Amino acid sequence: ILNVEQSPQSLHVQEGDSTNFTCSFPSSNFYALHWYRWETAKSPEALFVMTLNGDEKKKGRISATLNTKEGYSYLYIKGSQPEDSATYLCAYPGAVNYGGSQGNLIFGKGTKLSVKP
Amino acid sequence: ETGVTQTPRHLVMGMTNKKSLKCEQHLGHNAMYWYKQSAKKPLELMFVYNFKEQTENNSVPSRFSPECPNSSHLFLHLHTLQPEDSALYLCASSQPSGSFYEQYFGPGTRLTVT
């Protein structure tokens, strides 16, 4: 079983603070790394799907980097706002390592971000 | 609005009941998924359907029975559940080509087994 680890489990920041969290995944046979944002009472929503070592993606104040050789990805939020409060999930298609579909994602437990006004 | 709907949003059922969860996607995707979210656990993949064919059963007990009559609809039939099956059940869909299976989730069904 391939594990996806996220840290920290939770994070409390003040409005305007910049923050980052980590996702660790198996570095062998890399295919893709997904980031999702899940607000309370809403559906998880895809932020990024990253595929290339050294890749950096950006959406507004949120950006992510990828290191496939060492098996980690960072998600950064610049100038956090209360509306950024959510759980941020990363996921990895672990099934590809035993012939499964790239859509069979293994999720981490997430980092729960709370931004205080 | 992600284009994936789930009904009902909340369900309370007894251990001897039979109920079904419904998922519908309006995105033209060919893959659909059932996930389970239990307290303090990561999202767990339960079942995968590609082009209406089941391609993954992640060691799910037989009291959960999926059905995919077409690429737009997915059901999860429930019978003789246990209290530990209480959880949030999420449906998702994806389109493989050019998207690396980026998944679109529904809002979930909060299931309570009494």
Side-chain angles (χ1 to χ4, degrees):
Chain A
I1 296 177
L2 303 170
N3 287 326
V4 177
E5 303 288 341
Q6 291 188 248
S7 63
Q9 250 185 324
S10 64
L11 201 49
H12 298 264
V13 302
Q14 289 293 134
E15 182 175 355
D17 288 350
S18 293
T19 186
N20 66 86
F21 10 101
T22 307
C23 173
S24 300
F25 53 88
S27 55
S28 59
N29 298 320
F30 179 80
Y31 180 75
L33 192 282
H34 296 227
W35 280 102
Y36 292 85
R37 169 194 158 94
W38 193 359
E39 289 182 71
T40 303
K42 293 189 176 180
S43 311
E45 178 186 4
L47 285 172
F48 308 112
V49 180
M50 307 183 76
T51 58
L52 299 174
N53 185 42
D55 203 6
E56 180 171 347
K57 296 211 171 187
K58 191 173 181 182
K59 186 181 283 190
R61 292 178 292 98
I62 304 176
S63 60
T65 60
L66 179 68
N67 184 322
T68 62
K69 296 186 188 305
E70 295 182 39
Y72 65 83
S73 176
Y74 292 136
L75 190 79
Y76 300 90
I77 302 180
K78 185 178 178 182
S80 302
Q81 299 297 309
E83 58 264 31
D84 295 328
S85 298
T87 297
Y88 292 83
L89 302 171
C90 71
Y92 176 80
V96 295
N97 289 284
Y98 51 88
S101 165
Q102 298 92 336
N104 297 5
L105 298 179
I106 298 172
F107 279 82
K109 289 184 177 181
T111 292
K112 186 172 183 177
L113 175 67
S114 298
V115 182
K116 291 186 178 178
Chain B
E1 181 60 52
T2 63
V4 181
T5 58
Q6 288 187 244
T7 54
R9 294 292 303 275
H10 300 272
L11 179 62
V12 179
M13 60 186 287
M15 292 167 62
T16 57
N17 291 159
K18 288 184 181 181
K19 296 285 184 184
S20 295
L21 310 185
K22 180 183 176 182
C23 174
E24 184 173 0
Q25 56 97 0
H26 311 275
L27 301 168
H29 290 167
N30 291 315
M32 296 188 77
Y33 311 80
W34 279 117
Y35 287 90
K36 176 182 179 182
Q37 167 87 81
S38 304
K40 300 188 178 180
K41 287 189 176 182
L43 271 175
E44 297 174 71
L45 183 65
M46 299 174 72
F47 301 104
V48 182
Y49 279 80
N50 282 285
F51 294 93
K52 302 187 296 178
E53 297 296 321
Q54 184 177 320
T55 56
E56 182 84 11
N57 176 339
N58 202 15
S59 303
V60 181
S62 59
R63 57 186 184 268
F64 294 91
S65 175
E67 179 191 1
C68 188
N70 55 60
S71 292
S72 299
H73 292 86
L74 185 65
F75 294 89
L76 188 63
H77 303 299
L78 316 170
H79 63 99
T80 57
L81 294 192
Q82 304 298 310
E84 60 264 28
D85 297 321
S86 298
L88 180 68
Y89 290 85
L90 286 167
C91 171
S93 69
S94 74
Q95 186 67 291
S97 59
S99 68
F100 295 94
Y101 294 83
E102 178 180 294
Q103 302 198 359
Y104 292 72
F105 285 87
T109 296
R110 174 68 64 184
L111 174 68
T112 303
V113 181
T114 60

